[in-house]
Amino acid sequence: TRSLCDWSSDVCSSDLKEGAAVNDFRRPDRVVIGTDSEKAGRMMDKLYEPFLRNHDRLLLMGVRDAEMTKYAANAMLATRISFINEISNLCDRLGADIENVRKGIGSDERIGYSFLYAGCGYGGSCFPKDISALIRMGKEIDFDPTLLRAVDSRNEAQKQVLLEKIRRHFGEDLHGRHFAMWGLSFKPNTNDVREATSLMMIRRLVEAGATVTAYDPVAMEEAAAELDPAWIADGRVSMTEYQYDTLKGADAMILITEWKRFRQPDFAAMKDLLRQPVIFDGRNQYDPQVMSDLGFSYYGIGRTNMPVAV
C-alpha cells in the first residue's frame, strides 16, 4: 500500500519544532504512533512512558491515520498564519490595527492566540512541504484542495508585502538604495533558511538595483550559500558580525526574523547609524506610536493605518 509519505519530499518525521526539538521530545503535548502491529504499539507505549507520566497523551492509530495527522496538523497551523496575514492586509487598507484584532479574536477560547501573529510569510521545511504534499495528493486522486491552495497562495503573496511597502516609500527605482536586514533564518532559534522570506527579499532588492547588508545570530553562512556568489563578491550583498554594523549608511532597516535580541534595540543608536530613520518591521516587533514619537517612519504588517476609499 502506498504510504502518504510517498507524496512528500522527504521522510515523514515526528512533530518536533526546529529550535525546540529536545524539549518537545521530553515534554510532548501528545505522541502520535502509527502502527498496524499491536505488539509494536505496546512497545512504543512503554518507550514513551517516562515522558508521559503526568498525562496519558499517547495516541495509537493506523499508519495512514498517523501520517495524515502529521500533515493535517501542519496544514492547520499554516492556515491560521495565512488567515491572520490575509486579515492584516485588510487592516492595512482599512485603517485597523491587526494587533488589536489579534487580541480580540484570540481572547475567544474557541480560537486562542497560537499561530495568530501577522508577518511576512512562513518558511522552513515543514509547512511549505506539507501543504505542497497535500495539494499534490489531491491532484493525484482527482480532488481539488481549494483551501490548501489558497493557504499556499496567500503565503507566497505575503512574502511580497514588505517589498511593496518599500516601493511605496522609496519608489519603484531602488538603484543606489542600501538596506540593512535583521534576521535571515525562517524563524528564531534555528539556522534554517529554507523557504525563508529573507532570501526572496534580498534577491528582489538586488534585482531592483539596491544593495543589502544582513545580520543573523546563526544563519549567515547558510544564507550566503543560497545567494548568488557574484553578489557577495562585488558587495551587493554583505554580512556583518554585529547587528548594528548593518545600519551604517542604510536607507532603512528591514526586520525579517523575530530573534529576541531584536525586540528592544537601542533606537537612538539606530537613528544615528541609519541614513534615514525608516523601519520595515516584518514581524510587528515594535509599537507604531512609539516609533513615530522617536521620529521613525515605521511600516509594520497590518499596522500602518493607510485607509483607502471603499
Side-chain angles (χ1 to χ4, degrees):
T1 302
R2 187 178 189 186
S3 167
L4 299 182
C5 293
D6 294 340
W7 276 284
S8 179
S9 60
D10 60 14
V11 178
C12 281
S13 60
S14 302
D15 190 10
L16 304 175
K17 299 186 294 293
E18 287 193 49
V22 174
N23 187 64
D24 284 352
F25 186 84
R26 289 175 173 173
R27 299 177 181 85
D29 54 359
R30 87 279 193 222
V31 175
V32 178
I33 302 294
T35 179
D36 296 323
S37 167
E38 185 177 338
K39 180 181 178 180
R42 290 196 302 268
M43 292 176 65
M44 295 301 292
D45 194 359
K46 188 68 174 177
L47 176 66
Y48 276 96
E49 185 179 359
F51 304 100
L52 300 168
R53 290 187 178 278
N54 295 329
H55 302 283
D56 182 12
R57 296 182 175 180
L58 189 140
L59 303 174
L60 290 173
M61 59 184 71
V63 174
R64 282 207 164 196
D65 297 340
E67 291 172 346
M68 184 57 81
T69 296
K70 190 266 187 185
Y71 282 122
N74 280 341
M76 171 61 79
L77 298 177
T79 299
R80 285 174 65 93
I81 294 171
S82 283
F83 170 80
I84 199 67
N85 281 338
E86 184 125 305
I87 297 300
S88 75
N89 281 271
L90 290 171
C91 288
D92 250 348
R93 290 158 174 78
L94 297 173
D97 188 332
I98 191 62
E99 278 298 292
N100 289 330
V101 175
R102 179 186 68 81
K103 293 173 184 175
I105 64 175
S107 61
D108 186 328
E109 63 180 14
R110 298 170 300 174
I111 298 173
Y113 295 102
S114 297
F115 290 83
L116 277 185
Y117 291 89
C120 51
Y122 60 75
S125 61
C126 288
F127 288 3
K129 170 181 65 64
D130 288 358
I131 289 287
S132 296
L134 286 170
I135 292 172
R136 193 159 59 249
M137 290 180 206
K139 289 181 179 179
E140 292 195 11
I141 59 173
D142 196 28
F143 173 76
D144 183 14
T146 55
L147 178 58
L148 296 175
R149 286 194 294 101
V151 169
D152 184 59
S153 177
R154 165 44 55 203
N155 190 59
E156 289 305 306
Q158 197 68 20
K159 292 182 178 182
Q160 308 289 331
V161 168
L162 281 183
L163 191 62
E164 294 168 3
K165 293 175 183 290
I166 289 169
R167 284 174 168 157
R168 280 202 298 267
H169 183 91
F170 290 108
E172 291 293 325
D173 185 5
L174 297 180
H175 283 85
R177 298 291 182 186
H178 180 62
F179 294 94
M181 181 173 290
W182 283 5
L184 293 164
S185 57
F186 84 93
K187 71 172 186 177
N189 305 316
T190 178
N191 63 352
D192 194 343
V193 296
R194 285 175 290 181
E195 303 287 340
T197 299
S198 62
L199 299 182
M200 181 282 299
M201 284 288 295
I202 290 173
R203 292 184 182 112
R204 292 299 180 88
L205 289 170
V206 172
E207 289 167 358
T211 56
V212 180
T213 300
Y215 168 80
D216 187 280
V218 299
M220 291 190 289
E221 183 177 345
E222 289 75 13
E226 296 297 322
L227 296 168
D228 189 333
W231 294 352
I232 296 174
D234 64 19
R236 280 179 283 180
V237 178
S238 59
M239 311 282 177
T240 62
E241 186 177 356
Y242 303 105
Q243 71 184 68
Y244 288 94
D245 285 348
T246 64
L247 306 174
K248 295 176 181 177
D251 291 289
M253 189 275 279
I254 307 168
L255 190 149
I256 299 292
T257 315
E258 63 274 33
W259 286 93
K260 286 184 179 180
R261 67 180 61 191
F262 300 157
R263 290 180 185 174
Q264 294 181 311
D266 185 337
F267 290 113
M270 292 175 68
K271 198 171 180 181
D272 287 340
L273 290 167
L274 286 166
R275 186 184 303 170
Q276 301 182 50
V278 184
I279 293 176
F280 296 93
D281 183 355
R283 301 297 175 185
N284 288 343
Q285 295 292 282
Y286 311 131
D287 183 275
Q289 188 58 57
V290 171
M291 292 295 95
S292 178
D293 293 343
L294 291 173
F296 284 90
S297 294
Y298 175 81
Y299 299 88
I301 305 294
R303 309 201 73 187
T304 49
N305 294 326
M306 297 186 300
V308 297
V310 295

